[in-house]
Amino acid sequence: MRSLIAVTVALAAFGTLAKPAFSQEPIKIGVMFPYTGPISAQGRPERDAIKQAFDEENNTIAGRKIELLYEDSTGRPDTGLTKIKALVERDKVHLLLSELVSSIGAAVAPYVNEQKMPWISTVALASLTRAQKSPYIFRFVPSSYQYATTAAEVAKKMGWKKVYFIGWNAPPSRESYEAVKKVFGEENVVDAMFPNVGTSDYAPYLTKMDTSKADGVFTAMWGADAPRIVQQYVEYGLNKKMPLFGIASFTSEELLGDMPAASVGVLSAYTYCGTLDTAENKKFVEGYQSRYKAVPGSYQYMGYMAAKMVIQAIKDINGKVEDREAFIAALGKVKVKGPMGETSFDEQHGMVADFYVLTVEKGSNGQLQNRCGERIPQVKDPYASFP
Amino acid sequence: MTNLLPHMSGRKFAVIALIGTAVLLALPYFLPPYYLGLVIKMMIFALFAMSLDLLLGYTGMASLGHAAYFGMAAYVTGLLALKLGWSVWLTLPAGILMAALTALLLGLLALRTRGSYFLMITLALSQVVWGIAFGWRSLTGGDDGLPEVPRPNLPLPWSMADSTPFYYFVLFFVVVGTLLLVRIVSSPFGCALRGIRESETRMLALGYNVWRYKLAVFVLAAAFAGLAGCLYVFNNRFVSPDYIHVARSAEVLLMVILGGAGTLIGPALGAAAIVLLENIISTYTERWLMILGFVYVLVALFTPNGLTGLIESLRKRRSGP
């Protein structure tokens, strides 16, 4: 009897030794976005695209299963922080692939840094790679300074000399204005206007614009406000004399459905262009369309590619995500060729990616789409101009 | 003490309070850190809801702008701790004082109205405070708020960055706050407030200066909301305009109504229930707002006196007519 027990114990011990400890447990990834509230229209599609990226790997990387744990940040910073704590302390995730709201990003960053928890965010908050930078935080989305500087430089190359600026009375628009001022010089900004988020009538602002005084208008507002200002801009006939240049994802694919037909010709410069003809983009767009019956835009692209970066980093360390230092070192070096070209992180963990000049046009099916113009290769966050 | 739960004898209350305190003191020993964090959040919101109940339940004034004082104290505490590095013994009173002063100022305007007009004007005034926090970017950080506010640094062997010592820190202030609130509502001043709730004109006829009483309770309620706001900054280590938003004022109003206005334990229960529901259900389903909505509807339909009303009616049924 005693020997039988000994044999059993020995076998059991052998069993646990034979299997490498790390390959049994799944890799747990915390995916927190706003799934309810006003920003859920961006949060849910981005999560869907992240799911798509992991499904393309059959949810198994380097022999380990992937488990995505979802939490709803509701778009509020204190709730977001509580939910991140739930993922880290209760669910013991190995890494976070989360969030797009800048106020939540600012609230979560100190906690994530303290916990030494790898966090790949799509929060366009410039401070994440500046004042709040951390070896554990990666920002896979251009910062406000990065996208606005690029937009301003494109417009300057097109021959713009004097400009108007209209944007939300909110941090990303204010920072965009700083970038426009830097590129054009303050004396060349005829007027800068900052209506509140959700303003329904832009007449007081648009009537102030004098087409003889400027070459074009920069606008930095997004979501439902973007189609609204385009509609009114066209109604006032301003588009015939002064082109409108949207900053960042102003003409993102998911918004084009709400844009008026007359918005053909609206410009922007950003990291995603839906009609770009590459094999990777075709796979992304068709995969997303067949799953979710919608055209993916820039938010989906960020989620999809952020997931691809994580997948490549996990492969590079052979699935050993328990070694966080090795994981963040690998992620810092990852280069992935995606739908829009190669993407990577700079030394402060900001996104490095190709930008494209986009022009809204009417597609062959009568729907609005983005025409992909000049490619601006490997744009980095301008740390030197905006420390 | 009968105001804590209606129809409860002093001795029974003492027993319940003792058991409750013992459980709260022992919690860190069997709760993992995340759940302890949820309890901290529940306690802070319990204090916040009880402070609003001073207005809504005891004086009959429905304010839809109570988050203004919560947020004002949070900003003052956060700014002083972050930018000037003041110790908690200065930032906490400064936050509470600022909340009370703001209430004094806004109360002079708001208390000229009653009923739904009072509701509207408190809402409007709190939006003004929100607008300042949102717009004054150089001071408040605008929409992104102020991150990296340090936890209090006390001359104790335990660091407040750990959840257990911080839990006791919050517990201490919440218990002190609750005891003060109990004292206030059971004092002659509290009786006068209930009198005002029942009939303002009769109180006037009795020679009470009703307006002065209302202003006093408005400022007092703001001070307790301010204490909750200070604790909330230390808990989250950041402050943002979201603290003052009308959605938060509405949330705390719902906590009071769900728990049962006019008792102190009701709002505390309501706060705990809502924090728990929000954080637990939302992990399992995106439709958690719908579930929360159903709970509100059910409470409104079947237990108009809130959770405490439900407990009372169950108790009565068991002991017979």
Side-chain angles (χ1 to χ4, degrees), chain A residues 105-106 109-110 112-114 119 125-139 346-350 381 383 387, chain B residues 147-148:
Chain A
V112 168
N113 180 44
E114 253 175 42
W119 173 36
L125 190 63
S127 73
L128 281 189
T129 50
R130 290 177 170 81
Q132 291 191 299
K133 78 170 183 229
S134 148
Y136 301 94
I137 298 176
F138 294 81
R139 177 174 51 72
D346 62 38
E347 64 280 5
Q348 310 216 48
H349 292 174
D381 201 339
Y383 296 115
Chain B
E148 322 216 10

Side-chain angles (χ1 to χ4, degrees), chain A residues 44-61:
Chain A
R44 290 180 193 215
E46 189 163 339
R47 170 206 54 193
D48 291 344
I50 289 173
K51 224 167 141 245
Q52 182 191 347
F54 284 102
D55 283 349
E56 284 176 8
E57 304 285 327
N58 292 319
N59 290 302
T60 312
I61 303 168

